[in-house]
């Protein structure tokens, strides 16, 4: 592939592959530098692999088997963004990344006083379960040192749970 075509493909965010060479676009790098394998180097941090999840807080309510489950919740709770692992990324950094990449409503901490009623029919011979919480995200963080040839070294990773301003009950059914 001609060099100009490869540069254009990288600049457009396309993946260009040939048997001898593969180029991947990285929005934070100059297209010529990526093609030549020249990076600025230095310490880097990243949060990636976001998955929507319910960050439950407080008791799990259970009812059944079968019938109707009605849950009324009046309480004050707080759910915070948490980071696992040591020597890694702060909760504030994870939230800034999440705001830019998946949800402008990501927060380091969300507190609420709720008066919320939830009702659900439970399938026969099943138990209904409900828990209140924040509809946030889980993700992975990484810190690493980038060498001038664009390879990562001294890589550390961990998990992060990112709270969101959206709140409510999560419902699921179990056999017992």
């Amino acid at each position: 592939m001609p060099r100009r075509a490869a540069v254009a493909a990288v600049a457009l965010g396309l993946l260009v592959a040939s048997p001898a060479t593969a180029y991947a676009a990285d929005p934070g790098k100059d297209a010529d530098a990526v093609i030549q394998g020249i990076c600025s180097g230095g310490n880097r941090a990243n949060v990636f692999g976001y998955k929507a999840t319910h960050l439950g807080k407080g008791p799990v309510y259970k009812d059944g088997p079968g019938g109707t489950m009605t849950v009324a919740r009046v309480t004050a709770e707080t759910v915070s963004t948490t980071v696992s692992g040591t020597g890694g990324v702060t909760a504030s950094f994870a939230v800034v990344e999440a705001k830019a990449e998946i949800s402008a409503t990501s927060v380091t901490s969300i507190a609420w006083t709720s008066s919320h009623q939830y009702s659900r029919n439970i399938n026969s011979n099943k138990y209904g379960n409900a828990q209140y919480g924040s509809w946030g995200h889980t993700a992975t963080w990484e810190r690493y040192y980038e060498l001038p040839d664009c390879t990562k070294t001294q890589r550390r990773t961990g998990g992060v749970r990112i709270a969101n301003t959206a709140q409510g009950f999560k419902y699921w059914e179990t056999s017992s």
Side-chain angles (χ1 to χ4, degrees), residues 129-153:
N129 300 271
Q131 185 178 33
Y132 203 81
S134 169
W135 291 100
H137 293 84
T138 58
T140 301
W141 63 263
E142 69 176 342
R143 286 191 61 84
Y144 57 92
Y145 187 83
E146 183 181 66
L147 297 172
D149 68 356
C150 303
T151 59
K152 296 177 182 179
T153 185

Side-chain angles (χ1 to χ4, degrees), residues 44-122:
R44 302 278 184 261
N46 188 25
V47 179
F48 60 94
Y50 297 96
K51 290 183 183 178
T53 190
H54 186 261
L55 306 176
K57 180 77 175 189
V60 173
Y61 301 100
K62 186 172 189 170
D63 203 352
T68 301
M69 176 181 201
T70 301
V71 182
R73 178 127 165 118
V74 178
T75 188
E77 296 286 352
T78 301
V79 171
S80 298
T81 296
T82 58
V83 177
S84 65
T86 59
V89 170
T90 66
S92 297
F93 176 81
V95 169
V96 168
E97 290 285 305
K99 282 181 182 245
E101 295 182 23
I102 57 163
S103 175
T105 59
S106 297
V107 292
T108 54
S109 182
I110 179 73
W112 64 83
T113 301
S114 64
S115 175
H116 189 127
Q117 186 169 342
Y118 180 79
S119 187
R120 180 83 180 246
N121 290 329
I122 306 169

